[in-house]
Amino acid sequence: YQPTYDLKTNTISGAEALLRWTDAELGVIPPDVFIPLAEETGLIQELGLFVLQRACAQAMVWQKSGFALGIAVNISAMQFKQADLPKVVTQVLNDTGLAAHLLELELTESVLIDDTALVKQQIDQLSALGVRFAIDDFGTGYSNLGYLSQFSLSSLKIDRSFVARIRQNDKDLALVNGIIQLATSLGLHTVAEGVEDNQSLVLLQQAGCSCAQGYL
């Protein structure tokens, strides 16, 4: 679980559930290898459900310990295509007891342009329950800005490739500032991914970024 750090209150506000696989023979297998395989073989539904259940249960453990932290979970395009995501998420929330507003589901930009009507219907159903949605790796996908008003979103996650260069590259800093201003004007939170040094953190705070994630 990687903490999400609130840049306005300087406190940890939540965490993102990150799936990792260490095999006895193959060693560490990165997600960009095993996630596409899970989608290809049809195992992504079971894997996605496992992650969702574990993450929500962990958030409840934190809550019972006195920390009302939100939890973010990545959702793949294949999970949306099954068209039963609202039912699955509702069942997990009921089983774990986690309040819907403490769950944020992260999507990539490509998900939003793939079978838009089906995706929008499921997002709307879950948003009505209080579940929040974030666009992951914003700025690296199709970047059709029309979806920012079309879908019920709560956050934009600024891709680490931009964040990593804001100390050395004025153009990347300008891009990050632009994303933050765009999000703010639409009432969306911004989360900078891959923050690894204090200088970057200060630049993001000055830009008005809501939260940060990273090894720092």
Side-chain angles (χ1 to χ4, degrees), residues 142-197:
Y142 295 90
S143 297
N144 178 354
L145 298 181
Y147 63 63
L148 295 182
S149 61
Q150 186 179 355
F151 294 92
S152 300
L153 305 172
S154 59
S155 304
L156 298 183
K157 302 196 74 173
I158 306 169
D159 188 70
R160 65 183 63 248
S161 62
F162 299 126
V163 175
R165 299 190 296 260
I166 59 175
R167 290 180 301 140
Q168 300 93 7
N169 191 316
D170 289 342
K171 289 184 177 180
D172 279 302
L173 180 58
L175 278 172
V176 169
N177 279 322
I179 292 171
I180 292 169
Q181 290 169 18
L182 173 65
T184 301
S185 68
L186 293 171
L188 302 173
H189 292 284
T190 45
V191 181
E193 299 179 295
V195 180
E196 298 184 1
D197 59 85

Side-chain angles (χ1 to χ4, degrees), residues 11 17 19 40 63 75 86 92 97-98 102 109 114 127-128 130 134 138 148 166 168 173 186 193 210:
T11 58
L19 191 62
E40 201 177 300
Q63 193 172 63
I75 299 293
V92 170
L98 185 69
L102 291 175
E109 293 175 75
D114 189 16
S127 294
F138 183 77
L148 295 182
I166 59 175
Q168 300 93 7
L173 180 58
L186 293 171
E193 299 179 295
S210 310

